[in-house]
Amino acid sequence: MKKTTIAPIAGIGAALFLLSACGAEAGGEGNTATESTSSNEKQSITVYSAGPEGLAEDIKTAFEEETGIQVDMFQGTTGKILSRLEAESNNPVADVVVLASVPSMEGLKSEGMLQPYEAKNGELMNQEWSDSDHYYYGYSASALGVAYNTNQVDNPPGEWTDFSDPEWANRVTMPDPTSSGSAVDFLYGLTSTEADGWEWIEGWIDNGLLVAGANKESLDAVITGDKDVVVSAVDYMAYKAKASGEPIEIYYPESGTVISPRAAGVLADATNVSGAQAYIDFLLSDKAQQLVADAYLLPGNEEIALSDRASLSEIPVLPVTWEGAEEKQIDTLNEFTSKLQQ
């Protein structure tokens, strides 16, 4: 078997796995949040948000304009946010948490770190992305497809298995799942729903699969022509690159792909509960959902109009079960790393 390497993960447990691997598509940390006080409870909330950075800022601005409530926002990867919440456990700061990982939200729920809230428009959100007990809502999602360089690929293959063919030797890359939470979602989704999923992945590895960098880095390798194809491509990034004139196209194999939801919830130790609930309500509102669509993400509300991207109904979706996925994803990551190092 051809040997490929990624960053070692030996000894990484459940918490460290989530802290290092989930939600790495966020666009940087942004401003450091400040602690709310009782004197400004009705005027401000603190939000910890895993990007995308531009969308998070647009939602923050629109929410402040509509409600008059100031948002102190910390932006970072899902892992950095989880690490920050843990560090502040004895002196909680945040009111709302937004993560690029449903398994991580499930983890927060199981640890008693979220509180339920029956949000306005909650029933309009995709129920498969949201918690049935109302602890979090999947307000948006990305689909993980195949992005390719249109200057170098005329007829991309139709199925995941095709990337094992000699024609695609040393031409394919994917995001490093130790850096990208969506890549972990993809591996887990593919191997938990397809009986031959691991065989497909082994075929890619044998064919010279490059595993390097997070989502942006892997897509950049295809944009520049260093590689021809990226599998497990975060679709909203590809659509955005295409809109800016890059030679990129994206599609979804007919056998199905993985949808990676992004979710938000009110923290159990929130200082300004009413303000936090108002923020969740806004995220699920038509105005915020349209901002989601404008950022090329899939809105939680499927009735929101989309342009220049595939709708959820147009994407063949694998029937992934996210409940209990947090621990299972650790096994998935370790299995993938083991196969790369053989």
Side-chain angles (χ1 to χ4, degrees), residues 247-293:
I248 284 290
E249 190 58 83
I250 187 164
Y251 68 97
Y252 314 94
E254 294 179 2
S255 60
T257 191
V258 176
I259 302 294
S260 182
R262 314 170 76 86
V266 179
L267 286 159
D269 293 322
T271 300
N272 186 350
V273 174
S274 62
Q277 292 173 345
Y279 191 84
I280 298 299
D281 287 341
F282 184 77
L283 277 179
L284 310 190
S285 70
D286 287 353
K287 181 181 289 188
Q289 288 290 290
Q290 190 59 59
L291 291 174
V292 168

Short mmCIF file of all heavy atoms in Angstrom, two decimals, residues 247-293:
data_model
loop_
_atom_site.label_atom_id
_atom_site.label_comp_id
_atom_site.label_asym_id
_atom_site.label_seq_id
_atom_site.Cartn_x
_atom_site.Cartn_y
_atom_site.Cartn_z
N PRO A 247 -11.17 28.93 -11.77
CA PRO A 247 -11.54 27.82 -12.66
C PRO A 247 -11.98 26.58 -11.88
O PRO A 247 -11.33 25.53 -11.91
CB PRO A 247 -10.24 27.56 -13.44
CG PRO A 247 -9.16 27.91 -12.45
CD PRO A 247 -9.71 29.10 -11.68
N ILE A 248 -13.09 26.72 -11.17
CA ILE A 248 -13.55 25.67 -10.26
C ILE A 248 -15.01 25.32 -10.56
O ILE A 248 -15.82 26.19 -10.81
CB ILE A 248 -13.42 26.13 -8.79
CG1 ILE A 248 -11.96 26.07 -8.33
CG2 ILE A 248 -14.28 25.29 -7.86
CD1 ILE A 248 -11.41 24.66 -8.19
N GLU A 249 -15.28 24.03 -10.51
CA GLU A 249 -16.65 23.54 -10.57
C GLU A 249 -16.80 22.47 -9.49
O GLU A 249 -15.82 21.85 -9.08
CB GLU A 249 -16.96 22.96 -11.94
CG GLU A 249 -18.44 22.63 -12.18
CD GLU A 249 -19.34 23.83 -12.01
OE1 GLU A 249 -19.48 24.63 -12.95
OE2 GLU A 249 -19.89 23.97 -10.88
N ILE A 250 -18.04 22.26 -9.02
CA ILE A 250 -18.27 21.26 -7.98
C ILE A 250 -19.51 20.45 -8.32
O ILE A 250 -20.46 20.97 -8.93
CB ILE A 250 -18.42 21.91 -6.59
CG1 ILE A 250 -18.49 20.83 -5.49
CG2 ILE A 250 -19.60 22.87 -6.52
CD1 ILE A 250 -18.25 21.35 -4.09
N TYR A 251 -19.48 19.17 -7.96
CA TYR A 251 -20.64 18.30 -8.16
C TYR A 251 -20.66 17.27 -7.03
O TYR A 251 -19.74 17.19 -6.21
CB TYR A 251 -20.58 17.60 -9.52
CG TYR A 251 -19.46 16.59 -9.65
CD1 TYR A 251 -19.69 15.22 -9.45
CD2 TYR A 251 -18.16 16.99 -9.98
CE1 TYR A 251 -18.67 14.29 -9.58
CE2 TYR A 251 -17.14 16.06 -10.10
CZ TYR A 251 -17.40 14.72 -9.91
OH TYR A 251 -16.39 13.79 -10.01
N TYR A 252 -21.75 16.49 -7.01
CA TYR A 252 -21.95 15.50 -5.96
C TYR A 252 -22.19 14.13 -6.62
O TYR A 252 -23.11 14.01 -7.44
CB TYR A 252 -23.16 15.88 -5.10
CG TYR A 252 -23.15 17.34 -4.70
CD1 TYR A 252 -23.85 18.29 -5.46
CD2 TYR A 252 -22.43 17.78 -3.60
CE1 TYR A 252 -23.83 19.63 -5.12
CE2 TYR A 252 -22.41 19.12 -3.26
CZ TYR A 252 -23.11 20.05 -4.03
OH TYR A 252 -23.08 21.38 -3.69
N PRO A 253 -21.37 13.13 -6.29
CA PRO A 253 -21.55 11.80 -6.88
C PRO A 253 -22.98 11.28 -6.68
O PRO A 253 -23.61 11.53 -5.66
CB PRO A 253 -20.53 10.95 -6.14
CG PRO A 253 -19.42 11.91 -5.81
CD PRO A 253 -20.15 13.18 -5.46
N GLU A 254 -23.45 10.55 -7.69
CA GLU A 254 -24.84 10.10 -7.69
C GLU A 254 -25.16 9.15 -6.55
O GLU A 254 -26.32 9.05 -6.12
CB GLU A 254 -25.16 9.44 -9.04
CG GLU A 254 -25.12 10.41 -10.21
CD GLU A 254 -25.41 9.72 -11.53
OE1 GLU A 254 -25.68 8.50 -11.51
OE2 GLU A 254 -25.35 10.40 -12.57
N SER A 255 -24.17 8.44 -6.04
CA SER A 255 -24.42 7.51 -4.94
C SER A 255 -24.70 8.22 -3.63
O SER A 255 -25.19 7.62 -2.67
CB SER A 255 -23.22 6.57 -4.76
OG SER A 255 -22.05 7.31 -4.46
N GLY A 256 -24.41 9.52 -3.58
CA GLY A 256 -24.72 10.31 -2.39
C GLY A 256 -23.50 10.87 -1.71
O GLY A 256 -22.39 10.35 -1.85
N THR A 257 -23.71 11.92 -0.95
CA THR A 257 -22.64 12.54 -0.21
C THR A 257 -23.13 12.94 1.18
O THR A 257 -24.27 12.67 1.57
CB THR A 257 -22.06 13.75 -0.95
OG1 THR A 257 -20.84 14.17 -0.31
CG2 THR A 257 -23.03 14.92 -0.99
N VAL A 258 -22.27 13.61 1.92
CA VAL A 258 -22.54 13.96 3.31
C VAL A 258 -22.88 15.44 3.43
O VAL A 258 -22.21 16.29 2.84
CB VAL A 258 -21.32 13.63 4.20
CG1 VAL A 258 -21.55 14.07 5.64
CG2 VAL A 258 -20.99 12.14 4.14
N ILE A 259 -23.93 15.73 4.16
CA ILE A 259 -24.27 17.10 4.53
C ILE A 259 -23.70 17.37 5.92
O ILE A 259 -23.91 16.58 6.84
CB ILE A 259 -25.79 17.32 4.55
CG1 ILE A 259 -26.40 16.99 3.19
CG2 ILE A 259 -26.12 18.75 4.96
CD1 ILE A 259 -25.99 17.91 2.07
N SER A 260 -22.97 18.47 6.07
CA SER A 260 -22.35 18.81 7.35
C SER A 260 -23.05 20.05 7.93
O SER A 260 -22.77 21.18 7.54
CB SER A 260 -20.85 19.10 7.15
OG SER A 260 -20.22 19.38 8.37
N PRO A 261 -24.00 19.84 8.86
CA PRO A 261 -24.77 20.97 9.41
C PRO A 261 -23.95 21.83 10.37
O PRO A 261 -22.99 21.37 11.00
CB PRO A 261 -25.93 20.29 10.15
CG PRO A 261 -25.93 18.86 9.71
CD PRO A 261 -24.49 18.55 9.38
N ARG A 262 -24.38 23.09 10.50
CA ARG A 262 -23.82 24.04 11.45
C ARG A 262 -24.95 24.42 12.40
O ARG A 262 -26.05 24.72 11.95
CB ARG A 262 -23.26 25.26 10.72
CG ARG A 262 -22.40 24.89 9.52
CD ARG A 262 -22.05 26.10 8.68
NE ARG A 262 -21.02 26.89 9.30
CZ ARG A 262 -19.71 26.66 9.15
NH1 ARG A 262 -19.30 25.67 8.40
NH2 ARG A 262 -18.82 27.42 9.74
N ALA A 263 -24.68 24.39 13.69
CA ALA A 263 -25.78 24.53 14.66
C ALA A 263 -25.48 25.60 15.72
O ALA A 263 -24.32 25.93 15.97
CB ALA A 263 -26.03 23.18 15.34
N ALA A 264 -26.56 26.11 16.32
CA ALA A 264 -26.44 27.15 17.35
C ALA A 264 -27.37 26.83 18.51
O ALA A 264 -28.44 26.26 18.33
CB ALA A 264 -26.81 28.51 16.75
N GLY A 265 -26.93 27.23 19.71
CA GLY A 265 -27.74 27.00 20.90
C GLY A 265 -27.42 27.99 22.00
O GLY A 265 -26.41 28.70 21.95
N VAL A 266 -28.29 28.05 23.00
CA VAL A 266 -28.11 28.92 24.17
C VAL A 266 -27.36 28.12 25.23
O VAL A 266 -27.76 27.00 25.57
CB VAL A 266 -29.46 29.40 24.72
CG1 VAL A 266 -29.25 30.27 25.96
CG2 VAL A 266 -30.25 30.14 23.65
N LEU A 267 -26.30 28.70 25.76
CA LEU A 267 -25.52 28.02 26.79
C LEU A 267 -26.25 27.99 28.13
O LEU A 267 -26.98 28.92 28.47
CB LEU A 267 -24.15 28.69 26.93
CG LEU A 267 -23.19 28.38 25.77
CD1 LEU A 267 -22.10 29.42 25.66
CD2 LEU A 267 -22.60 26.98 25.93
N ALA A 268 -26.04 26.93 28.87
CA ALA A 268 -26.73 26.75 30.15
C ALA A 268 -26.40 27.86 31.14
O ALA A 268 -27.23 28.24 31.96
CB ALA A 268 -26.39 25.39 30.74
N ASP A 269 -25.18 28.38 31.06
CA ASP A 269 -24.73 29.42 31.99
C ASP A 269 -24.85 30.83 31.40
O ASP A 269 -24.18 31.75 31.86
CB ASP A 269 -23.28 29.16 32.41
CG ASP A 269 -23.14 27.90 33.24
OD1 ASP A 269 -24.03 27.64 34.06
OD2 ASP A 269 -22.14 27.18 33.07
N ALA A 270 -25.69 30.99 30.38
CA ALA A 270 -25.84 32.30 29.75
C ALA A 270 -26.25 33.35 30.78
O ALA A 270 -27.12 33.12 31.63
CB ALA A 270 -26.89 32.22 28.65
N THR A 271 -25.62 34.51 30.71
CA THR A 271 -25.96 35.62 31.59
C THR A 271 -27.22 36.34 31.11
O THR A 271 -28.11 36.68 31.88
CB THR A 271 -24.80 36.63 31.67
OG1 THR A 271 -23.65 35.96 32.17
CG2 THR A 271 -25.15 37.80 32.57
N ASN A 272 -27.28 36.58 29.81
CA ASN A 272 -28.42 37.26 29.21
C ASN A 272 -29.23 36.24 28.41
O ASN A 272 -29.07 36.10 27.20
CB ASN A 272 -27.94 38.39 28.31
CG ASN A 272 -29.08 39.24 27.78
OD1 ASN A 272 -30.25 38.90 27.92
ND2 ASN A 272 -28.73 40.36 27.15
N VAL A 273 -30.09 35.50 29.09
CA VAL A 273 -30.85 34.43 28.45
C VAL A 273 -31.81 34.99 27.40
O VAL A 273 -31.91 34.46 26.29
CB VAL A 273 -31.61 33.60 29.50
CG1 VAL A 273 -32.51 32.58 28.82
CG2 VAL A 273 -30.63 32.90 30.42
N SER A 274 -32.52 36.06 27.73
CA SER A 274 -33.48 36.61 26.77
C SER A 274 -32.78 37.13 25.52
O SER A 274 -33.27 36.96 24.40
CB SER A 274 -34.31 37.72 27.42
OG SER A 274 -33.48 38.80 27.83
N GLY A 275 -31.62 37.77 25.70
CA GLY A 275 -30.86 38.23 24.55
C GLY A 275 -30.33 37.08 23.70
O GLY A 275 -30.33 37.14 22.47
N ALA A 276 -29.89 36.00 24.38
CA ALA A 276 -29.41 34.82 23.66
C ALA A 276 -30.54 34.18 22.86
O ALA A 276 -30.35 33.78 21.71
CB ALA A 276 -28.83 33.82 24.65
N GLN A 277 -31.71 34.10 23.46
CA GLN A 277 -32.87 33.54 22.75
C GLN A 277 -33.24 34.40 21.55
O GLN A 277 -33.60 33.88 20.48
CB GLN A 277 -34.04 33.40 23.71
CG GLN A 277 -33.82 32.35 24.79
CD GLN A 277 -34.91 32.33 25.85
OE1 GLN A 277 -35.71 33.28 25.94
NE2 GLN A 277 -34.97 31.28 26.64
N ALA A 278 -33.12 35.71 21.71
CA ALA A 278 -33.42 36.61 20.59
C ALA A 278 -32.43 36.37 19.44
O ALA A 278 -32.81 36.46 18.26
CB ALA A 278 -33.34 38.06 21.05
N TYR A 279 -31.18 36.06 19.78
CA TYR A 279 -30.18 35.79 18.74
C TYR A 279 -30.51 34.50 17.99
O TYR A 279 -30.40 34.45 16.76
CB TYR A 279 -28.78 35.70 19.37
CG TYR A 279 -27.66 35.70 18.36
CD1 TYR A 279 -27.16 36.89 17.85
CD2 TYR A 279 -27.08 34.50 17.92
CE1 TYR A 279 -26.13 36.89 16.91
CE2 TYR A 279 -26.05 34.50 16.99
CZ TYR A 279 -25.58 35.70 16.49
OH TYR A 279 -24.57 35.70 15.57
N ILE A 280 -30.91 33.47 18.72
CA ILE A 280 -31.33 32.22 18.07
C ILE A 280 -32.52 32.48 17.17
O ILE A 280 -32.57 32.01 16.02
CB ILE A 280 -31.66 31.14 19.12
CG1 ILE A 280 -30.43 30.80 19.97
CG2 ILE A 280 -32.19 29.89 18.43
CD1 ILE A 280 -29.26 30.24 19.21
N ASP A 281 -33.51 33.23 17.67
CA ASP A 281 -34.67 33.57 16.85
C ASP A 281 -34.24 34.26 15.56
O ASP A 281 -34.78 33.99 14.48
CB ASP A 281 -35.64 34.48 17.62
CG ASP A 281 -36.41 33.74 18.70
OD1 ASP A 281 -36.49 32.50 18.64
OD2 ASP A 281 -36.92 34.41 19.62
N PHE A 282 -33.27 35.17 15.69
CA PHE A 282 -32.83 35.90 14.50
C PHE A 282 -32.13 34.98 13.51
O PHE A 282 -32.31 35.09 12.30
CB PHE A 282 -31.91 37.06 14.90
CG PHE A 282 -31.50 37.91 13.73
CD1 PHE A 282 -32.39 38.83 13.20
CD2 PHE A 282 -30.25 37.77 13.15
CE1 PHE A 282 -32.04 39.60 12.09
CE2 PHE A 282 -29.88 38.54 12.06
CZ PHE A 282 -30.77 39.46 11.53
N LEU A 283 -31.29 34.07 14.02
CA LEU A 283 -30.60 33.13 13.13
C LEU A 283 -31.59 32.33 12.28
O LEU A 283 -31.30 31.98 11.13
CB LEU A 283 -29.76 32.14 13.94
CG LEU A 283 -28.37 32.55 14.38
CD1 LEU A 283 -27.73 31.43 15.19
CD2 LEU A 283 -27.49 32.91 13.19
N LEU A 284 -32.76 32.05 12.85
CA LEU A 284 -33.76 31.24 12.16
C LEU A 284 -34.75 32.09 11.36
O LEU A 284 -35.63 31.53 10.71
CB LEU A 284 -34.51 30.37 13.17
CG LEU A 284 -33.67 29.55 14.16
CD1 LEU A 284 -34.56 28.58 14.92
CD2 LEU A 284 -32.53 28.82 13.47
N SER A 285 -34.60 33.40 11.42
CA SER A 285 -35.50 34.29 10.71
C SER A 285 -35.21 34.28 9.21
O SER A 285 -34.12 33.91 8.77
CB SER A 285 -35.38 35.72 11.24
OG SER A 285 -34.12 36.28 10.87
N ASP A 286 -36.17 34.73 8.43
CA ASP A 286 -35.97 34.78 6.97
C ASP A 286 -34.80 35.69 6.61
O ASP A 286 -34.05 35.40 5.66
CB ASP A 286 -37.24 35.29 6.28
CG ASP A 286 -38.36 34.25 6.28
OD1 ASP A 286 -38.11 33.10 6.70
OD2 ASP A 286 -39.48 34.59 5.86
N LYS A 287 -34.63 36.78 7.36
CA LYS A 287 -33.54 37.71 7.04
C LYS A 287 -32.17 37.04 7.19
O LYS A 287 -31.32 37.12 6.29
CB LYS A 287 -33.62 38.95 7.94
CG LYS A 287 -32.53 39.98 7.66
CD LYS A 287 -32.65 41.18 8.59
CE LYS A 287 -33.84 42.02 8.23
NZ LYS A 287 -33.87 43.29 9.01
N ALA A 288 -31.95 36.38 8.32
CA ALA A 288 -30.67 35.72 8.54
C ALA A 288 -30.51 34.51 7.62
O ALA A 288 -29.40 34.23 7.14
CB ALA A 288 -30.53 35.30 10.00
N GLN A 289 -31.59 33.80 7.39
CA GLN A 289 -31.51 32.64 6.49
C GLN A 289 -31.15 33.07 5.07
O GLN A 289 -30.46 32.35 4.35
CB GLN A 289 -32.84 31.88 6.51
CG GLN A 289 -33.08 31.12 7.81
CD GLN A 289 -32.15 29.94 7.97
OE1 GLN A 289 -32.28 28.94 7.25
NE2 GLN A 289 -31.21 30.03 8.89
N GLN A 290 -31.58 34.25 4.65
CA GLN A 290 -31.18 34.75 3.34
C GLN A 290 -29.70 35.12 3.32
O GLN A 290 -29.01 34.92 2.31
CB GLN A 290 -32.03 35.96 2.95
CG GLN A 290 -31.83 36.39 1.49
CD GLN A 290 -32.17 35.28 0.51
OE1 GLN A 290 -33.30 34.79 0.50
NE2 GLN A 290 -31.20 34.88 -0.31
N LEU A 291 -29.20 35.64 4.45
CA LEU A 291 -27.76 35.91 4.54
C LEU A 291 -26.96 34.60 4.42
O LEU A 291 -25.90 34.57 3.79
CB LEU A 291 -27.44 36.59 5.87
CG LEU A 291 -27.93 38.03 6.05
CD1 LEU A 291 -27.66 38.51 7.46
CD2 LEU A 291 -27.27 38.96 5.03
N VAL A 292 -27.48 33.53 5.01
CA VAL A 292 -26.86 32.21 4.87
C VAL A 292 -26.81 31.80 3.40
O VAL A 292 -25.77 31.36 2.89
CB VAL A 292 -27.65 31.16 5.69
CG1 VAL A 292 -27.21 29.74 5.32
CG2 VAL A 292 -27.45 31.39 7.19
N ALA A 293 -27.93 31.96 2.71
CA ALA A 293 -27.98 31.60 1.29
C ALA A 293 -27.04 32.45 0.47
O ALA A 293 -26.38 31.95 -0.46
CB ALA A 293 -29.42 31.74 0.78
#
